[in-house]
């Protein structure tokens, strides 16, 4: 049902999202800068329920003006503020977690996690799959960061509130998200990455169909352990 709803409302994908994040100038907080993060979402056939929820939330502006906080060394989390009312008014399912998985979207470094029951969005700073399994928190991983990885890392290392390491001193705000309709035209940098072989087949479907590279996307146990130590 969820897959059919997404197809009817949003099409088959691939889905690429632009996140506009506003951050303060550390020397003068009254001056704020806008940065863009480009995310490719998981394929619809592997995560129909979560994409149904997330894309509808995006369309309704539920995540507009959400604030970021550093949850811990592993995650940077976006929490709803005043826009929570939009979610309640939307009549979308709440307090539910649909555990769908895709082997290419597996809480690796610089991926986007989604907790529909929070609801929360979070960036994984490191490989976190074993962390979630160990804590019995089975949140799905719905996307990967294509552009803006350096900026996400900068947010992790931003100034923290002295009373709570989880909060940023100066509000870091997710001003809005939108769907990118033509990735290569709007972001020539991604096309350049593809031409230079920097984008692998597990990235956007639009790139996968053209790519001559064939990588499995699977990680060995040694690679997972090495990522956890970083």
């Amino acid at each position: 049902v969820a897959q059919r709803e997404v197809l009817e409302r949003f099409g088959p994908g691939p889905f690429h999202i632009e996140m506009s994040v506003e951050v303060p100038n550390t020397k003068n907080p009254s001056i704020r800068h806008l940065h863009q993060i480009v995310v490719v979402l998981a394929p619809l056939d592997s995560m129909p329920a979560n994409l149904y929820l997330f894309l509808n939330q995006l369309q309704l502006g539920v995540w507009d003006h959400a604030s970021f906080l550093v949850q811990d060394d592993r995650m940077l989390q976006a929490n709803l503020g005043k826009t929570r009312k939009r979610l309640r008014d939307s009549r979308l399912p709440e307090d539910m977690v649909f555990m769908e998985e895709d082997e290419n979207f597996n809480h690796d470094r610089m991926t986007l996690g989604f907790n529909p029951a929070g609801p929360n969005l979070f960036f994984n700073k490191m490989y976190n799959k074993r962390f979630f399994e160990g804590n019995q928190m089975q949140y799905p991983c719905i996307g990967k960061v294509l552009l803006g990885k350096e900026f996400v890392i900068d947010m992790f290392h931003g100034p923290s509130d002295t009373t709570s390491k989880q909060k940023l001193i100066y509000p870091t705000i997710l001003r809005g998200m939108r769907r990118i309709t033509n990735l290569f035209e709007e972001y020539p940098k991604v096309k350049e990455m593809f031409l230079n072989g920097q984008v692998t087949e597990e990235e956007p479907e639009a790139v996968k169909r053209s790519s001559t590279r064939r990588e499995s996307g699977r990680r060995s146990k040694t690679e997972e352990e090495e990522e956890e130590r970083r």
Side-chain angles (χ1 to χ4, degrees), residues 158-227:
S160 298
D161 190 334
T162 55
T163 61
S164 173
K165 292 183 179 180
Q166 289 190 341
K167 297 181 179 179
L168 302 178
I169 285 182
Y170 305 116
T172 301
I173 306 298
L174 176 57
R175 281 297 174 197
M177 287 194 290
R178 70 177 184 91
R179 184 180 172 191
I180 301 170
T181 54
N182 192 314
L183 182 65
F184 283 174
E185 285 188 8
E186 295 189 50
Y187 282 91
K189 177 68 174 178
V190 177
K191 185 175 182 179
E192 180 183 335
M193 291 165 61
F194 160 64
L195 293 174
N196 291 334
Q198 295 172 274
V199 178
T200 64
E201 74 161 283
E202 64 198 46
E203 311 273 40
E205 290 290 329
V207 175
K208 182 197 286 189
R209 286 194 293 267
S210 303
S211 177
T212 57
R213 297 184 62 178
R214 291 295 177 266
E215 299 178 5
S216 68
R218 296 183 180 178
R219 304 165 60 93
S220 67
K221 184 176 180 181
T222 302
E223 289 174 324
E224 294 173 358
E225 292 173 346
E226 177 63 27
E227 185 63 49

Side-chain angles (χ1 to χ4, degrees), residues 7-221:
L7 287 170
E8 291 177 357
R9 180 169 294 190
F10 304 105
F15 301 109
H16 304 102
I17 304 301
E18 177 192 84
M19 307 173 76
S20 294
V21 181
E22 187 180 85
V23 296
N25 184 301
T26 54
K27 295 182 179 179
N28 185 351
S30 64
I31 301 175
R32 303 186 68 81
H33 306 282
L34 199 64
H35 297 261
Q36 277 71 43
I37 302 168
V38 176
V39 175
V40 54
L41 299 184
L44 175 59
D45 58 359
S46 63
M47 294 196 180
N50 285 289
L51 291 192
Y52 168 79
L53 288 176
F54 179 71
L55 290 171
N56 275 283
Q57 290 174 3
L58 183 151
Q59 187 178 63
L60 293 168
V62 168
W63 292 99
D64 294 359
H65 306 288
S67 57
F68 281 100
L69 59 85
V70 177
Q71 183 70 12
D72 51 34
D73 290 339
R74 293 176 174 272
M75 291 173 285
L76 180 72
Q77 182 171 294
N79 289 340
L80 294 185
K82 297 178 181 179
T83 54
R84 185 176 293 274
K85 185 177 184 301
R86 294 181 193 171
L87 180 60
R88 292 171 181 156
D89 293 343
S90 72
R91 297 185 179 180
L92 290 170
E94 294 185 63
D95 301 323
M96 299 177 67
V97 176
F98 299 96
M99 267 320 299
E100 299 166 321
E101 290 186 286
D102 186 296
E103 66 176 11
N104 290 322
F105 293 77
N106 207 13
H107 292 295
D108 285 309
R109 184 175 182 272
M110 289 296 109
T111 54
L112 184 68
F114 182 46
N115 172 15
N120 310 119
L121 287 174
F122 56 92
F123 290 108
N124 290 298
K125 184 182 178 183
M126 59 185 68
Y127 181 67
N128 279 331
K129 181 173 175 59
R130 289 186 179 181
F131 170 77
F132 286 122
E133 290 176 344
N135 287 275
Q136 297 182 337
M137 295 185 293
Q138 301 295 310
Y139 302 143
C141 178
I142 64 169
K144 292 184 178 184
V145 178
L146 283 182
L147 291 179
K149 295 178 182 179
E150 296 84 359
F151 171 64
V152 174
I153 292 296
D154 286 344
M155 284 199 291
F156 268 102
H157 297 295
S160 298
D161 190 334
T162 55
T163 61
S164 173
K165 292 183 179 180
Q166 289 190 341
K167 297 181 179 179
L168 302 178
I169 285 182
Y170 305 116
T172 301
I173 306 298
L174 176 57
R175 281 297 174 197
M177 287 194 290
R178 70 177 184 91
R179 184 180 172 191
I180 301 170
T181 54
N182 192 314
L183 182 65
F184 283 174
E185 285 188 8
E186 295 189 50
Y187 282 91
K189 177 68 174 178
V190 177
K191 185 175 182 179
E192 180 183 335
M193 291 165 61
F194 160 64
L195 293 174
N196 291 334
Q198 295 172 274
V199 178
T200 64
E201 74 161 283
E202 64 198 46
E203 311 273 40
E205 290 290 329
V207 175
K208 182 197 286 189
R209 286 194 293 267
S210 303
S211 177
T212 57
R213 297 184 62 178
R214 291 295 177 266
E215 299 178 5
S216 68
R218 296 183 180 178
R219 304 165 60 93
S220 67
K221 184 176 180 181

